[in-house]
PDB file of all heavy atoms in Angstrom:
ATOM      1  N   LEU A 193    -108.666-190.659-150.215  1.00 74.00           N
ATOM      2  CA  LEU A 193    -109.007-189.321-150.721  1.00 74.00           C
ATOM      3  C   LEU A 193    -108.443-188.220-149.833  1.00 74.00           C
ATOM      4  O   LEU A 193    -107.973-187.185-150.305  1.00 74.00           O
ATOM      5  CB  LEU A 193    -110.571-189.217-150.863  1.00 74.00           C
ATOM      6  CG  LEU A 193    -111.242-189.952-152.000  1.00 74.00           C
ATOM      7  CD1 LEU A 193    -112.739-189.867-151.909  1.00 74.00           C
ATOM      8  CD2 LEU A 193    -110.768-189.337-153.337  1.00 74.00           C
ATOM      9  N   ARG A 194    -108.579-188.492-148.486  1.00 73.00           N
ATOM     10  CA  ARG A 194    -108.038-187.518-147.550  1.00 73.00           C
ATOM     11  C   ARG A 194    -106.502-187.346-147.730  1.00 73.00           C
ATOM     12  O   ARG A 194    -106.033-186.226-147.753  1.00 73.00           O
ATOM     13  CB  ARG A 194    -108.300-187.999-146.094  1.00 73.00           C
ATOM     14  CG  ARG A 194    -107.735-187.130-145.043  1.00 73.00           C
ATOM     15  CD  ARG A 194    -107.944-187.769-143.636  1.00 73.00           C
ATOM     16  NE  ARG A 194    -109.306-187.678-143.216  1.00 73.00           N
ATOM     17  CZ  ARG A 194    -109.841-186.681-142.637  1.00 73.00           C
ATOM     18  NH1 ARG A 194    -109.064-185.588-142.349  1.00 73.00           N
ATOM     19  NH2 ARG A 194    -111.071-186.657-142.306  1.00 73.00           N
ATOM     20  N   SER A 195    -105.846-188.445-147.965  1.00 74.00           N
ATOM     21  CA  SER A 195    -104.382-188.407-148.203  1.00 74.00           C
ATOM     22  C   SER A 195    -104.052-187.640-149.482  1.00 74.00           C
ATOM     23  O   SER A 195    -103.093-186.858-149.554  1.00 74.00           O
ATOM     24  CB  SER A 195    -103.819-189.861-148.321  1.00 74.00           C
ATOM     25  OG  SER A 195    -103.980-190.549-147.116  1.00 74.00           O
ATOM     26  N   ILE A 196    -104.867-187.795-150.532  1.00 72.00           N
ATOM     27  CA  ILE A 196    -104.629-187.096-151.785  1.00 72.00           C
ATOM     28  C   ILE A 196    -104.823-185.566-151.513  1.00 72.00           C
ATOM     29  O   ILE A 196    -104.025-184.772-152.015  1.00 72.00           O
ATOM     30  CB  ILE A 196    -105.686-187.548-152.827  1.00 72.00           C
ATOM     31  CG1 ILE A 196    -105.324-188.958-153.275  1.00 72.00           C
ATOM     32  CG2 ILE A 196    -105.637-186.623-154.048  1.00 72.00           C
ATOM     33  CD1 ILE A 196    -106.301-189.559-154.245  1.00 72.00           C
ATOM     34  N   VAL A 197    -105.804-185.137-150.777  1.00 74.00           N
ATOM     35  CA  VAL A 197    -106.041-183.784-150.436  1.00 74.00           C
ATOM     36  C   VAL A 197    -104.877-183.198-149.635  1.00 74.00           C
ATOM     37  O   VAL A 197    -104.355-182.143-149.891  1.00 74.00           O
ATOM     38  CB  VAL A 197    -107.377-183.587-149.687  1.00 74.00           C
ATOM     39  CG1 VAL A 197    -107.504-182.103-149.219  1.00 74.00           C
ATOM     40  CG2 VAL A 197    -108.494-183.930-150.594  1.00 74.00           C
ATOM     41  N   LEU A 198    -104.429-183.973-148.577  1.00 72.00           N
ATOM     42  CA  LEU A 198    -103.290-183.520-147.735  1.00 72.00           C
ATOM     43  C   LEU A 198    -102.030-183.424-148.526  1.00 72.00           C
ATOM     44  O   LEU A 198    -101.198-182.538-148.200  1.00 72.00           O
ATOM     45  CB  LEU A 198    -103.111-184.486-146.588  1.00 72.00           C
ATOM     46  CG  LEU A 198    -104.220-184.494-145.495  1.00 72.00           C
ATOM     47  CD1 LEU A 198    -103.997-185.625-144.520  1.00 72.00           C
ATOM     48  CD2 LEU A 198    -104.143-183.158-144.714  1.00 72.00           C
ATOM     49  N   GLU A 199    -101.823-184.273-149.548  1.00 71.00           N
ATOM     50  CA  GLU A 199    -100.572-184.233-150.250  1.00 71.00           C
ATOM     51  C   GLU A 199    -100.786-183.322-151.528  1.00 71.00           C
ATOM     52  O   GLU A 199     -99.828-183.298-152.401  1.00 71.00           O
ATOM     53  CB  GLU A 199    -100.204-185.663-150.698  1.00 71.00           C
ATOM     54  CG  GLU A 199     -99.856-186.568-149.452  1.00 71.00           C
ATOM     55  CD  GLU A 199     -99.721-188.012-149.887  1.00 71.00           C
ATOM     56  OE1 GLU A 199     -99.800-188.279-151.128  1.00 71.00           O
ATOM     57  OE2 GLU A 199     -99.541-188.832-148.986  1.00 71.00           O
ATOM     58  N   GLY A 200    -101.814-182.628-151.617  1.00 65.00           N
ATOM     59  CA  GLY A 200    -102.040-181.771-152.777  1.00 65.00           C
ATOM     60  C   GLY A 200    -101.091-180.666-152.887  1.00 65.00           C
ATOM     61  O   GLY A 200    -100.849-180.076-153.942  1.00 65.00           O
ATOM     62  N   GLY A 201    -100.364-180.326-151.784  1.00 60.00           N
ATOM     63  CA  GLY A 201     -99.360-179.302-151.768  1.00 60.00           C
ATOM     64  C   GLY A 201     -99.931-177.933-152.273  1.00 60.00           C
ATOM     65  O   GLY A 201    -100.981-177.447-151.875  1.00 60.00           O
ATOM     66  N   ASN A 202     -99.215-177.256-153.191  1.00 64.00           N
ATOM     67  CA  ASN A 202     -99.598-175.985-153.687  1.00 64.00           C
ATOM     68  C   ASN A 202    -100.613-176.016-154.726  1.00 64.00           C
ATOM     69  O   ASN A 202    -101.101-174.993-155.206  1.00 64.00           O
ATOM     70  CB  ASN A 202     -98.339-175.222-154.185  1.00 64.00           C
ATOM     71  CG  ASN A 202     -97.355-174.972-153.140  1.00 64.00           C
ATOM     72  OD1 ASN A 202     -97.646-174.736-151.956  1.00 64.00           O
ATOM     73  ND2 ASN A 202     -96.064-174.987-153.496  1.00 64.00           N
ATOM     74  N   PHE A 203    -101.100-177.245-155.133  1.00 64.00           N
ATOM     75  CA  PHE A 203    -102.036-177.366-156.205  1.00 64.00           C
ATOM     76  C   PHE A 203    -103.445-177.025-155.625  1.00 64.00           C
ATOM     77  O   PHE A 203    -104.352-176.633-156.390  1.00 64.00           O
ATOM     78  CB  PHE A 203    -102.082-178.783-156.746  1.00 64.00           C
ATOM     79  CG  PHE A 203    -100.796-179.074-157.533  1.00 64.00           C
ATOM     80  CD1 PHE A 203     -99.869-179.915-156.969  1.00 64.00           C
ATOM     81  CD2 PHE A 203    -100.586-178.614-158.768  1.00 64.00           C
ATOM     82  CE1 PHE A 203     -98.694-180.178-157.618  1.00 64.00           C
ATOM     83  CE2 PHE A 203     -99.432-178.843-159.466  1.00 64.00           C
ATOM     84  CZ  PHE A 203     -98.453-179.685-158.888  1.00 64.00           C
ATOM     85  N   ILE A 204    -103.637-177.164-154.344  1.00 71.00           N
ATOM     86  CA  ILE A 204    -104.936-176.887-153.753  1.00 71.00           C
ATOM     87  C   ILE A 204    -104.755-175.726-152.716  1.00 71.00           C
ATOM     88  O   ILE A 204    -103.938-175.856-151.813  1.00 71.00           O
ATOM     89  CB  ILE A 204    -105.481-178.135-152.979  1.00 71.00           C
ATOM     90  CG1 ILE A 204    -105.608-179.261-153.936  1.00 71.00           C
ATOM     91  CG2 ILE A 204    -106.875-177.802-152.394  1.00 71.00           C
ATOM     92  CD1 ILE A 204    -106.106-180.546-153.277  1.00 71.00           C
ATOM     93  N   PRO A 205    -105.468-174.583-152.867  1.00 74.00           N
ATOM     94  CA  PRO A 205    -105.303-173.524-151.923  1.00 74.00           C
ATOM     95  C   PRO A 205    -105.652-173.987-150.523  1.00 74.00           C
ATOM     96  O   PRO A 205    -106.473-174.892-150.303  1.00 74.00           O
ATOM     97  CB  PRO A 205    -106.357-172.483-152.405  1.00 74.00           C
ATOM     98  CG  PRO A 205    -106.568-172.818-153.839  1.00 74.00           C
ATOM     99  CD  PRO A 205    -106.349-174.260-153.958  1.00 74.00           C
ATOM    100  N   GLN A 206    -104.994-173.425-149.505  1.00 73.00           N
ATOM    101  CA  GLN A 206    -105.144-173.893-148.116  1.00 73.00           C
ATOM    102  C   GLN A 206    -106.552-173.828-147.653  1.00 73.00           C
ATOM    103  O   GLN A 206    -107.076-174.788-146.993  1.00 73.00           O
ATOM    104  CB  GLN A 206    -104.258-173.030-147.204  1.00 73.00           C
ATOM    105  CG  GLN A 206    -104.209-173.492-145.785  1.00 73.00           C
ATOM    106  CD  GLN A 206    -103.722-174.913-145.590  1.00 73.00           C
ATOM    107  OE1 GLN A 206    -102.788-175.289-146.292  1.00 73.00           O
ATOM    108  NE2 GLN A 206    -104.313-175.680-144.747  1.00 73.00           N
ATOM    109  N   LYS A 207    -107.332-172.780-148.039  1.00 73.00           N
ATOM    110  CA  LYS A 207    -108.751-172.651-147.596  1.00 73.00           C
ATOM    111  C   LYS A 207    -109.545-173.806-148.246  1.00 73.00           C
ATOM    112  O   LYS A 207    -110.373-174.430-147.548  1.00 73.00           O
ATOM    113  CB  LYS A 207    -109.322-171.319-148.054  1.00 73.00           C
ATOM    114  CG  LYS A 207    -110.664-171.062-147.527  1.00 73.00           C
ATOM    115  CD  LYS A 207    -110.797-171.014-146.018  1.00 73.00           C
ATOM    116  CE  LYS A 207    -112.133-170.782-145.521  1.00 73.00           C
ATOM    117  NZ  LYS A 207    -112.316-170.871-144.101  1.00 73.00           N
ATOM    118  N   HIS A 208    -109.314-174.065-149.481  1.00 75.00           N
ATOM    119  CA  HIS A 208    -110.054-175.147-150.158  1.00 75.00           C
ATOM    120  C   HIS A 208    -109.741-176.520-149.554  1.00 75.00           C
ATOM    121  O   HIS A 208    -110.614-177.375-149.352  1.00 75.00           O
ATOM    122  CB  HIS A 208    -109.794-175.187-151.652  1.00 75.00           C
ATOM    123  CG  HIS A 208    -110.155-173.944-152.379  1.00 75.00           C
ATOM    124  ND1 HIS A 208    -109.927-173.717-153.698  1.00 75.00           N
ATOM    125  CD2 HIS A 208    -110.903-172.828-151.932  1.00 75.00           C
ATOM    126  CE1 HIS A 208    -110.440-172.524-154.078  1.00 75.00           C
ATOM    127  NE2 HIS A 208    -110.999-172.018-152.994  1.00 75.00           N
ATOM    128  N   LYS A 209    -108.457-176.693-149.184  1.00 75.00           N
ATOM    129  CA  LYS A 209    -108.037-177.927-148.614  1.00 75.00           C
ATOM    130  C   LYS A 209    -108.735-178.129-147.266  1.00 75.00           C
ATOM    131  O   LYS A 209    -109.185-179.206-146.926  1.00 75.00           O
ATOM    132  CB  LYS A 209    -106.486-177.919-148.382  1.00 75.00           C
ATOM    133  CG  LYS A 209    -105.872-179.238-147.884  1.00 75.00           C
ATOM    134  CD  LYS A 209    -104.443-179.088-147.609  1.00 75.00           C
ATOM    135  CE  LYS A 209    -103.668-178.885-148.918  1.00 75.00           C
ATOM    136  NZ  LYS A 209    -102.205-178.874-148.693  1.00 75.00           N
ATOM    137  N   SER A 210    -108.827-177.027-146.469  1.00 76.00           N
ATOM    138  CA  SER A 210    -109.480-177.093-145.203  1.00 76.00           C
ATOM    139  C   SER A 210    -110.944-177.478-145.347  1.00 76.00           C
ATOM    140  O   SER A 210    -111.444-178.273-144.552  1.00 76.00           O
ATOM    141  CB  SER A 210    -109.325-175.765-144.464  1.00 76.00           C
ATOM    142  OG  SER A 210    -110.075-175.750-143.277  1.00 76.00           O
ATOM    143  N   ILE A 211    -111.655-176.905-146.309  1.00 78.00           N
ATOM    144  CA  ILE A 211    -113.032-177.195-146.573  1.00 78.00           C
ATOM    145  C   ILE A 211    -113.210-178.686-146.931  1.00 78.00           C
ATOM    146  O   ILE A 211    -114.114-179.378-146.456  1.00 78.00           O
ATOM    147  CB  ILE A 211    -113.633-176.304-147.587  1.00 78.00           C
ATOM    148  CG1 ILE A 211    -113.696-174.868-147.128  1.00 78.00           C
ATOM    149  CG2 ILE A 211    -115.058-176.743-148.022  1.00 78.00           C
ATOM    150  CD1 ILE A 211    -114.094-173.820-148.121  1.00 78.00           C
TER     151      ILE A 211
END
Side-chain angles (χ1 to χ4, degrees):
L193 285 172
R194 177 187 288 274
S195 297
I196 291 173
V197 173
L198 287 171
E199 295 170 5
N202 296 328
F203 294 102
I204 304 177
Q206 186 59 40
K207 184 61 178 178
H208 296 176
K209 186 184 295 186
S210 175
I211 292 174

